Amino acid sequence: MTFDRIDLKILDILQRDATVPVARIADQVGLSQTPCWKRIQKHEEAGVIRSRVALLNPDALGLSLSAFVMVEAIEHTAEWRTEFLAVTETLEPVRDIYRLAGTHDFMLRVVVSDMPAFDAFYDTLTSKIRLRSVSSVFSLEQVKASTALPLSGLIANSN
């Protein structure tokens, strides 16, 4: 799929605030409402826009412990990977799963209320699937977080 300057501007506006009315987006990108809405629909149908969500404050909900769990696979087979992903998908504290190159095979971002909750998560994870090793690091402070992708370079290079 190709993106022109207008597509990228629309996507940038929406990724920063999905509640912006189509009329305002259209005005900001120099389109009328109908063509703007059609572009948004095209991006939704193509999967470029995956969803529109509200971002919650984890501290306000008592979910203030973030851990990054590094996992080494016990074996490197398609069957183990399928089982690992099936297990981790069922664990609510797991927010993100990354497959890695290097010393570790996967990194999980886990969000829980406190250390006892993390310990319960750890026990559940390690009892459901065999792992070669697991190591965790804990976030002291989230210094920067963004859900927005860096589109400005793409916009500058678009036609």
Side-chain angles (χ1 to χ4, degrees), residues 121-136:
F121 157 79
Y122 181 88
D123 286 345
T124 302
L125 173 66
T126 57
S127 69
K128 289 190 174 199
I129 189 160
R130 292 182 51 225
L131 306 168
R132 178 174 314 284
S133 72
V134 180
S135 61
S136 302

Side-chain angles (χ1 to χ4, degrees), residues 68-159:
F68 299 91
V69 179
M70 309 300 282
V71 173
E72 276 188 79
I74 191 80
E75 58 188 62
H76 293 92
T77 63
E79 295 80 15
W80 183 90
R81 180 179 170 183
T82 299
E83 182 183 355
F84 173 76
L85 293 174
V87 166
T88 52
E89 284 290 329
T90 66
L91 300 175
E92 187 180 21
V94 176
R95 301 292 79 214
D96 300 307
I97 303 170
Y98 296 90
R99 191 167 69 90
L100 306 175
T103 307
H104 297 93
D105 299 301
F106 291 92
M107 180 177 74
L108 313 176
R109 184 175 66 90
V110 175
V111 176
V112 292
S113 57
D114 53 22
M115 195 56 75
F118 178 81
D119 194 39
F121 157 79
Y122 181 88
D123 286 345
T124 302
L125 173 66
T126 57
S127 69
K128 289 190 174 199
I129 189 160
R130 292 182 51 225
L131 306 168
R132 178 174 314 284
S133 72
V134 180
S135 61
S136 302
V137 293
F138 299 92
S139 170
L140 297 175
E141 175 185 18
Q142 186 179 57
V143 178
K144 179 183 178 186
S146 177
T147 60
L149 295 174
L151 299 182
S152 62
L154 298 175
I155 293 169
N157 294 326
S158 66
N159 48 16

Side-chain angles (χ1 to χ4, degrees), residues 36-69:
C36 184
W37 177 242
K38 286 183 179 180
R39 285 180 184 237
I40 292 169
Q41 286 181 315
K42 175 184 76 170
H43 295 310
E44 287 176 334
E45 291 166 4
V48 175
I49 298 173
R50 295 186 316 193
S51 64
R52 298 179 191 209
V53 299
L55 301 176
L56 306 179
N57 179 341
D59 292 330
L61 297 164
L63 296 169
S64 34
L65 181 63
S66 291
F68 299 91
V69 179

